[in-house]
Amino acid sequence: MLFFSKEGTASPIGGENRTELIQLHFQSFSFLPEMQLLIFLAFLLVYLLSLCGNATVALTVHSDRSLHTPMYFFLANLAVLEIFYSSVIAPFALVNLLSGRKATISLAGCGTQMFFFVFLGSADCILLAVMACDRYVAICHPLHYTLIINWTVCACLVSGSLVLGFLLALQLTILLFHLPFCGTNEINHFYCDVLPVLRLARADTQIHQATVFVVSVIVLTIPFLIICISYVFIVAAILKIRSAAGQHRAISTCSSHLIVVLLQYGCCSFIYLQTSSSYSSEQGQAVSVIYIFVTPLLNPLIYSMRNKDLKDALGRALGRAMLFQRK
């Protein structure tokens, strides 16, 4: 946590001068109150639908025994991650929109928001790579699938995704918030994202920019390469399947995951795999809206529409709910 010093800059805890908390101001989406209200209603609807969709997927997988397989275990964990991931940013952004004025946040609050955003976002990306490896083993080595991907391995892979995301987020947040900041700063964004906050620092940030790039490579490039390699082998294995029904089933289980991967990695790579000097706040806000509000909504829709087993389980759950209401 950093405090406002007599010279007008932030000093770490333990510094001699501690007068008042630094306040960061977020940029408004629009200066027109009517537009602010319209944006608020649209974002609120999308956010609530994404919460309902991901919660439905997680609860359906949990309650339906036919879905108690590694693939759906990973899918349920992805849905839970999406709920927390979007909830780190969306409620605060919605409150800011509804207030109709420039919202403020303390430097400690900004650091907390950034930590959980990077933590959950990194775990989300790593888990998508884990899901690709799961599909690779299921399609390319079906006879050894239950031996390789057992429940212990599943738990370790999910835990590993969370631990790696946690460590990367902790390292990045501590590094960034040891920089000096002035007492009044406006973030050209609607939440505490890494690059906009880094631009506010009153110091040389070359090392910090390099660290952000390295973390982005670990979180985005390496998992994406693993996904690409997995799908090269998956496509080769699918082409060897003689029955059209078998090919269609294999493609249907992989295509939904591939669409989600392209959405998630495409948006994140566009923002984070670039230098701070070439970063555009307008483009950053637009793309951030997609992966914070839109992608968490699309994920359950994509999986439920393109996955027969999940659709059938949702139908059974809906039927049980309707039967219970009639009683």
Side-chain angles (χ1 to χ4, degrees), residues 1-13 15-23 107 178-185 200-203:
M1 181 176 178
L2 306 178
F3 286 89
F4 184 78
S5 68
K6 288 182 180 178
E7 292 78 20
T9 57
S11 59
I13 285 180
E16 296 179 358
N17 299 315
R18 305 177 181 179
T19 55
E20 62 176 290
L21 284 171
I22 289 180
Q23 295 294 314
L107 204 60
H178 269 77
L179 288 167
F181 295 87
C182 286
T184 302
N185 300 280
L200 300 178
R202 300 295 187 264

Side-chain angles (χ1 to χ4, degrees), residues 51-84:
L51 288 183
C52 293
N54 284 293
T56 300
V57 169
L59 291 173
T60 302
V61 172
H62 175 74
S63 61
D64 197 303
R65 287 187 173 274
S66 67
L67 300 181
H68 289 183
T69 63
M71 183 179 80
Y72 292 106
F73 172 75
F74 293 133
L75 178 58
N77 278 276
L78 181 68
V80 173
L81 270 179
E82 292 285 0
I83 291 173
F84 287 105

Side-chain angles (χ1 to χ4, degrees), residues 198-252:
L198 190 59
R199 281 188 165 186
L200 300 178
R202 300 295 187 264
D204 183 11
T205 60
Q206 288 186 355
I207 294 176
H208 302 79
Q209 290 180 41
T211 304
V212 171
F213 184 78
V214 170
V215 170
S216 300
V217 168
I218 294 172
V219 171
L220 296 172
T221 306
I222 295 176
F224 186 70
L225 286 174
I226 292 172
I227 292 170
C228 290
I229 293 170
S230 298
Y231 272 100
V232 167
F233 287 105
I234 287 171
V235 170
I238 290 174
L239 293 175
K240 293 178 182 178
I241 298 175
R242 294 182 179 180
S243 66
Q247 285 187 341
H248 181 267
R249 181 174 177 80
I251 292 171
S252 65

Side-chain angles (χ1 to χ4, degrees), residues 258-291:
L258 195 56
I259 293 169
V260 171
V261 165
L262 293 175
L263 281 171
Q264 181 80 1
Y265 280 87
C267 292
C268 292
S269 299
F270 182 81
I271 296 297
Y272 297 108
L273 293 179
Q274 60 177 311
T275 61
S276 179
S277 58
S278 61
Y279 174 80
S280 167
S281 58
E282 292 79 13
Q283 291 178 348
Q285 285 200 52
V287 176
S288 296
V289 166
I290 295 173
Y291 65 73

Side-chain angles (χ1 to χ4, degrees), residues 98-160:
L98 192 61
S99 65
R101 56 184 175 81
K102 284 188 177 180
T104 61
I105 189 173
S106 67
L107 204 60
C110 185
T112 303
Q113 187 185 62
M114 183 186 293
F115 166 77
F116 281 104
F117 174 71
V118 176
F119 164 40
L120 296 169
S122 300
D124 193 295
C125 290
I126 296 167
L127 187 57
L128 286 172
V130 169
M131 293 172 72
C133 294
D134 170 69
R135 290 299 83 207
Y136 160 73
V137 177
I139 294 173
C140 298
H141 304 282
L143 298 179
H144 301 94
Y145 179 72
T146 54
L147 294 175
I148 299 172
I149 310 294
N150 54 52
W151 288 112
T152 302
V153 171
C154 291
C156 289
L157 288 171
V158 172
S159 301

Side-chain angles (χ1 to χ4, degrees), residues 297-317:
L297 171 64
L298 292 178
N299 287 357
L301 291 175
I302 291 168
Y303 279 111
S304 61
M305 286 189 299
R306 300 188 65 85
N307 190 294
K308 185 179 182 299
D309 293 336
L310 187 57
K311 280 193 293 185
D312 292 343
L314 286 170
R316 289 193 295 269

